[in-house]
C-alpha cells in the first residue's frame, strides 16, 4: 500500500490563479503608481518615515509565518471583498481629487485587504488581518497630523518616564517635556 504525504494530496494552484494574481498586482501598481513613488520618496527623504522601507518586509514576513495555518484554511471567494475594494478605490479617487497622498496609502491597504477577502475568503483574511493592519505604519502621514499628535504623546511619555524615575528614587522634576534630576536633564523629543 502506497501512502502519500499531506503535501501531495493538496492540489496546487492552477497557472490561471498565478496569472490572475499577477494581472491584479499589475493593475494595483498601475492605479497606485503615483502614490508608491511618493511613499518611497518620503521614506528616503524624511527621517521620520525611514522605517517605511521595513514595514512591507515585516508584513511580508508575518504573512510568510502564516502560510502553514493558511494551508489548513479553506479558500472561499467572498463577495464582501468587492465593497471593500470599491471603498478603497473611491477613497483613493477622493484623495487624488484633493491632492492628498497619505489617504491614498490607507486606500491601497483597504483595497488589497478587500482583494484577499474576495479571492481567499473570510477565514484566510482573518488570519492575515494583523499583517495588513501593520501596513498602516508604512504610510507617511501629513506633517500637520504628526505635529498635532506629537505633543500629547511627548507629554504622556514624559509623565510616564518621570513617574518611572520616581519609582527608582531619582526624584525628578517635570517641566513640560523636560525631566530634570539632580545630576541630569532629559528631554522627550520626537
Amino acid at each position: 500500500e502506497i501512502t502519500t504525504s499531506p503535501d501531495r494530496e493538496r492540489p496546487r494552484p492552477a497557472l490561471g490563479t498565478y496569472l490572475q494574481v499577477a494581472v491584479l498586482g499589475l493593475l494595483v501598481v498601475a492605479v497606485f503608481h503615483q502614490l508608491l513613488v511618493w511613499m518611497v520618496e518620503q521614506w528616503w527623504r524624511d527621517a521620520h518615515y525611514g522605517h517605511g522601507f521595513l514595514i512591507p518586509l515585516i508584513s511580508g514576513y508575518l504573512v510568510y509565518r502564516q502560510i502553514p495555518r493558511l494551508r489548513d484554511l479553506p479558500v472561499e471567494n467572498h463577495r464582501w471583498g468587492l465593497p471593500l475594494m470599491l471603498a478603497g478605490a473611491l477613497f483613493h479617487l477622493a484623495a487624488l481629487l484633493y491632492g492628498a497622498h497619505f489617504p491614498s496609502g490607507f486606500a491601497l491597504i483597504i483595497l488589497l485587504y478587500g482583494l484577499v477577502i474576495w479571492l481567499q475568503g473570510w477565514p484566510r483574511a482573518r488570519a492575515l488581518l494583523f499583517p495588513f493592519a501593520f501596513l498602516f505604519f508604512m504610510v507617511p502621514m501629513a506633517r500637520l497630523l504628526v505635529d498635532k499628535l506629537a505633543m500629547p504623546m511627548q507629554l504622556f511619555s514624559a509623565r510616564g518616564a518621570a513617574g518611572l524615575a520616581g519609582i527608582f528614587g531619582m526624584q525628578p522634576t517635570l517641566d513640560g517635556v523636560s525631566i530634570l534630576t539632580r545630576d541630569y536633564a532629559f528631554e522627550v523629543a520626537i
Side-chain angles (χ1 to χ4, degrees):
E1 178 177 315
I2 300 173
T3 59
T4 59
S5 71
D7 291 334
R8 290 188 185 159
E9 292 174 10
R10 281 193 194 99
R12 294 197 182 269
L15 181 60
T17 303
Y18 290 120
L19 186 60
Q20 182 183 30
V21 169
V23 168
L24 287 171
L26 288 173
L27 184 61
V28 167
V29 168
V31 170
F32 287 93
H33 178 264
Q34 183 181 0
L35 166 75
L36 296 171
V37 169
W38 175 80
M39 282 199 313
V40 168
E41 286 176 357
Q42 293 299 310
W43 298 343
W44 190 261
R45 291 183 187 164
D46 192 338
H48 288 100
Y49 303 120
H51 66 278
F53 288 107
L54 296 175
I55 301 298
L57 296 174
I58 293 169
S59 284
Y61 175 73
L62 293 172
V63 169
Y64 172 77
R65 295 273 318 248
Q66 290 289 344
I67 288 175
R69 181 175 173 212
L70 291 173
R71 285 184 180 143
D72 294 336
L73 296 172
V75 176
E76 46 188 52
N77 298 24
H78 202 282
R79 67 180 176 267
W80 284 107
L82 290 173
L84 199 56
M85 291 176 356
L86 181 62
L90 290 175
F91 197 47
H92 175 61
L93 182 61
L96 286 175
L97 290 174
Y98 285 100
H101 289 288
F102 79 93
S104 286
F106 301 137
L108 171 64
I109 298 163
I110 291 167
L111 186 132
L112 290 175
Y113 195 67
L115 269 171
V116 170
I117 294 170
W118 183 47
L119 295 174
Q120 299 293 309
W122 281 113
R124 289 185 171 201
R126 265 193 304 272
L128 297 175
L129 181 60
F130 181 75
F132 273 87
F134 191 70
L135 286 173
F136 281 95
F137 291 111
M138 78 176 176
V139 179
M141 290 195 300
R143 288 302 305 171
L144 177 67
L145 264 169
V146 171
D147 293 341
K148 188 173 186 122
L149 296 174
M151 184 53 88
M153 289 174 60
Q154 279 180 280
L155 291 170
F156 176 77
S157 298
R159 273 186 247 133
L164 196 58
I167 290 173
F168 290 109
M170 295 179 72
Q171 301 174 350
T173 303
L174 187 60
D175 181 23
V177 294
S178 297
I179 304 167
L180 309 169
T181 64
R182 190 178 59 178
D183 297 323
Y184 300 101
F186 302 96
E187 185 174 333
V188 178
I190 40 178

